Amino acid sequence: MRRSIAFLAAAMIGATPGAAQRDMSKVEIKVERLAPGVAVLFGAGGNIGLSYGEDGNVLVDDQFAPLTDKIIAAVQSVDPDPVKFVVNTHWHGDHSGGNENLGKAGAVIVAHDNVRRRMSTDQFSKRFGKTAASPKVALPVVTFGQGVSLNLNGDVLRIIHVKAAHTDGDSLVYWQKANVLHMGDTFFHKMSLPFIDLESGGSIDGAIAAVRAGLALAAPGVNIIPGHGPMATREDLAAYLAMLVDVRTKVATAKRAGRSLAQIKADNPAKRYEIAGGFITADAFVEAVYAGVGAKRR
Ligand SMILES: [Zn+2]
């Protein structure tokens, strides 16, 4: 578990995959207030949403286990209460690595059914190797199929499952009153091409549908927390959607025309969107898109 989390850490924080493990003791957790009762925490791993106020603290994702004490200190700089709920946007260790510590401290963990299912058994990945099953205390206690809402801190947090997108257990979290949207890893902002985790049940069509669902939820002026990268606007998310659709269309058209994966990679339809230092290369993204589009017209 530790080893594969280190792998995820190296990969997901924008370092090249296989780079040396990042020293978590050097990571600083930065807090940015977004609206009354809502903040975002940046550290290493997935960005964390925070709901705070009279009903208790809620974290949306919790990064890596070695960071839990720093995350709690950052939360308490905003609100001294303990963490009451943790929502996981999906199962990956850079978003759920703090579950064990927070579960032991009494937080109730909430996530889609497939997050609990994947965390309950060993997971294997060509890219990341083995992730061992999590202990019971780290598993989501409240699970759902379509979605669930948390009614607290003067707002409604709508937690909405989006099917087969980055994984098969992704959720978007939307603060209805504050107009803040956490996209989980269905949105990488300015740090890498998209990661569609085929081995965890992700798909290009689900990734596109997830971004459309996010845009449908968001009111004008929305504050968007991406899974990784800096805060974003509605326009940023719309541009991300256009990029996904453009690459999907080009790959699907070429595949239907009988071009091989190697030929399509050479055409490089994702080239103009590639981000220097991003952990998903144009080739890796095109491979994931290619796997998800039919050879025949659909
Ligand atoms: Zn992820």
Side-chain angles (χ1 to χ4, degrees):
M1 174 131 180
R2 185 150 299 175
R3 203 178 64 136
S4 92
I5 279 176
F7 263 68
L8 272 170
M12 300 300 294
I13 59 183
T16 49
Q21 179 178 359
R22 181 160 174 184
D23 182 357
M24 292 290 171
S25 70
K26 302 232 161 67
V27 173
E28 226 183 294
I29 307 293
K30 294 196 180 98
V31 182
E32 198 180 310
R33 292 179 195 241
L34 301 176
V38 192
V40 60
L41 278 61
F42 300 100
N47 296 330
I48 297 175
L50 168 65
S51 168
Y52 62 94
E54 58 179 11
D55 301 312
N57 291 319
V58 182
L59 290 185
V60 179
D61 288 342
D62 55 22
Q63 299 187 351
F64 298 104
L67 298 175
T68 304
D69 288 346
K70 286 185 201 174
I71 290 166
I72 289 175
V75 168
Q76 292 187 334
S77 74
V78 177
D79 186 314
D81 291 337
V83 175
K84 203 169 190 178
F85 294 99
V86 170
V87 179
N88 293 136
T89 60
H90 61 294
W91 79 273
H92 285 154
D94 56 326
H95 297 256
S96 64
N99 279 19
E100 183 175 355
N101 295 331
L102 289 159
K104 279 182 186 156
V108 175
I109 302 168
V110 181
H112 184 262
D113 296 331
N114 288 339
V115 174
R116 183 178 168 98
R117 186 174 62 79
R118 288 195 180 275
M119 290 182 73
S120 301
T121 57
D122 292 352
Q123 299 290 311
F124 299 92
S125 155
K126 275 180 228 136
R127 181 184 282 270
F128 302 118
K130 177 183 161 185
T131 302
S134 297
K136 185 166 163 265
V137 70
L139 299 176
V141 171
V142 177
T143 66
F144 55 85
Q146 304 300 316
V148 69
S149 293
L150 296 178
N151 296 265
L152 36 67
N153 297 332
D155 210 331
V156 181
L157 276 67
R158 294 179 63 196
I159 306 166
I160 296 164
H161 174 54
V162 285
K163 283 183 192 162
H166 169 67
T167 68
D168 59 9
D170 300 299
S171 293
L172 313 182
V173 181
Y174 182 58
W175 280 252
Q176 216 161 254
K177 190 173 159 201
N179 193 24
V180 172
L181 174 63
H182 195 315
M183 289 293 293
D185 279 359
T186 68
F187 183 28
F188 280 8
H189 187 219
K190 291 183 175 164
M191 52 78 66
S192 172
L193 283 170
F195 177 29
I196 294 166
D197 185 354
L198 301 176
E199 294 168 309
S200 292
S203 75
I204 178 63
D205 287 348
I208 289 171
V211 173
R212 287 196 207 281
L215 288 168
L217 282 168
V222 67
N223 266 312
I224 301 178
I225 305 172
H228 298 266
M231 290 297 297
T233 64
R234 203 173 196 291
E235 291 66 36
D236 294 324
L237 189 59
Y240 193 76
L241 173 63
M243 177 272 296
L244 288 169
V245 170
D246 178 45
V247 175
R248 188 210 181 279
T249 303
K250 284 176 177 145
V251 171
T253 303
K255 191 173 179 180
R256 276 204 305 273
R259 289 184 76 70
S260 69
L261 175 58
Q263 287 169 327
I264 298 172
K265 280 201 244 179
D267 297 343
N268 205 350
K271 185 180 169 61
R272 58 183 280 229
Y273 305 113
E274 208 168 16
I275 292 168
F279 100 105
I280 296 293
T281 61
D283 275 0
F285 179 42
V286 166
E287 273 171 36
V289 174
Y290 181 89
V293 295
K296 292 186 180 143
R297 203 161 63 83
R298 44 175 288 165

